[in-house]
Amino acid sequence: MSLRKRLVIVGADAFGIEVWHLSNDIPSDSKDWDNVVFINDEIKNTQIELYNANISCLIISTIDDYVPQFNDVCICSIVNPKTKLDIVEKLKERGVKFTNIIHPTAIIGIGCRLGTGIILCPYVVMTVNVSVDNHVIVDVASSIGHDAKIGEGVTIGSQCDITGYCDIQRGALIGSGTSALPKSIIGENSVVCAGSVVLKKVRANRVVTGNPAYYVDKITK
C-alpha cells in the first residue's frame, strides 16, 4: 500500500477555506491525499473551523517557515496573481511539489491542456483545445471558449465569459462577471475590473473597467 500524501493549502484567507471545501468534494478515489493543512503568513489561530460543521483544519506554519515533507503536495490559494507567483517561486526553491484542485462539477473538453497548481471551482467549463498554464485559478461558473490561452498565475473571477481564441497573459487578474470577446488579448499583469467587457485588447500592466473596458490606471511595480 502506497503512502498517502498531505495536501498543504497556501493561504488561509476566505478563498483558502473555499479551496479546502472544494478539496473535500473530490471523491477519495480521485485524490491521493488523506490529510489537509494550511500554511499562512499571519497565524492568528492555529485551527480553522467551518461554521455549523464538525470539520476543522490546522495552520501548521507561516509560509516563510514552512519546511516541506516528502509526502506533501501544495496548492496556492492566493488570489492576487503577483503575490501568488512570488510565493510559488519561493516554495519551488524549497522543492515543493504542486497539485491541482479540480471540482468534480468542472467540465474539461477534449484537447484541453492543463499545467500544475491549478484550481477549478464548481461549474467551470472549458470547451475544447483550451491551454491553461501553471497556478491558474478559475472561480465558480466561469467558462473558457475554444482555443483560448490562459497564462501562468492568472486569476479569473466567478461568472466570467472568456470566449474563443482569447489570450490572457501571465499574471492577469480578471474580475467577476467579465466578458472577453473572441480573440481578445489581455496583457501581462493587467487587471480587468468586475463586470467589464473586453472588446479587443488590454495592454500589459493596465487597469481597465466598463463596457467597453477602458483604461483607468497603470500598475507600477
Side-chain angles (χ1 to χ4, degrees):
M1 181 176 177
S2 60
L3 180 66
R4 301 278 282 180
K5 295 183 174 66
R6 180 175 70 167
L7 176 65
V8 180
I9 300 175
V10 184
D13 59 2
F15 187 67
I17 296 172
E18 287 187 13
V19 172
W20 172 30
H21 180 64
L22 300 182
S23 74
N24 290 328
D25 286 347
I26 299 173
S28 58
D29 59 356
S30 298
K31 58 186 178 184
D32 59 357
W33 63 83
D34 57 3
N35 186 23
V36 183
V37 295
F38 285 92
I39 58 176
N40 193 68
D41 269 343
E42 297 180 4
I43 297 183
K44 296 180 180 178
N45 300 298
T46 58
Q47 184 164 287
I48 295 174
E49 296 183 358
L50 287 178
Y51 297 118
N52 301 319
N54 188 26
I55 302 174
S56 62
C57 193
L58 292 175
I59 302 174
I60 60 168
S61 170
T62 64
I63 296 172
D64 286 342
D65 293 335
Y66 169 62
V67 178
Q69 304 300 302
F70 73 95
N71 62 327
D72 283 354
V73 289
C74 286
I75 189 74
C76 187
S77 69
I78 306 298
V79 172
N80 181 283
K82 184 180 186 308
T83 303
K84 173 171 53 178
L85 289 172
D86 287 347
I87 289 172
V88 163
E89 285 305 311
K90 291 178 182 178
L91 293 174
K92 286 167 65 176
E93 290 173 0
R94 292 178 233 166
V96 165
K97 297 178 182 179
F98 291 92
T99 190
N100 293 335
I101 300 293
I102 298 176
H103 194 269
T105 60
I107 297 174
I108 302 172
I110 191 169
C112 293
R113 299 172 296 280
L114 304 184
T116 58
I118 292 169
I119 300 170
L120 301 184
C121 293
Y123 307 109
V124 165
V125 176
M126 296 181 181
T127 61
V128 295
N129 297 329
V130 175
S131 175
V132 180
D133 210 334
N134 301 332
H135 308 293
V136 167
I137 295 171
V138 185
D139 210 344
V140 175
S142 286
S143 63
I144 303 176
H146 64 84
D147 301 285
K149 297 179 181 179
I150 313 299
E152 184 182 25
V154 166
T155 293
I156 298 174
S158 61
Q159 298 180 323
C160 292
D161 181 19
I162 309 301
T163 56
Y165 294 110
C166 283
D167 182 6
I168 301 181
Q169 297 176 357
R170 186 181 192 271
L173 174 62
I174 313 300
S176 297
T178 290
S179 295
L181 269 62
K183 300 183 180 181
S184 293
I185 299 172
I186 298 176
E188 287 193 15
N189 307 316
S190 58
V191 175
V192 181
C193 296
S196 298
V197 178
V198 177
L199 301 184
K200 187 174 182 181
K201 185 175 182 178
V202 175
R203 293 175 62 187
N205 303 303
R206 295 294 193 270
V207 179
V208 299
T209 189
N211 178 9
Y214 61 92
Y215 165 75
V216 293
D217 199 5
K218 183 176 182 179
I219 297 172
T220 58
K221 295 182 180 180

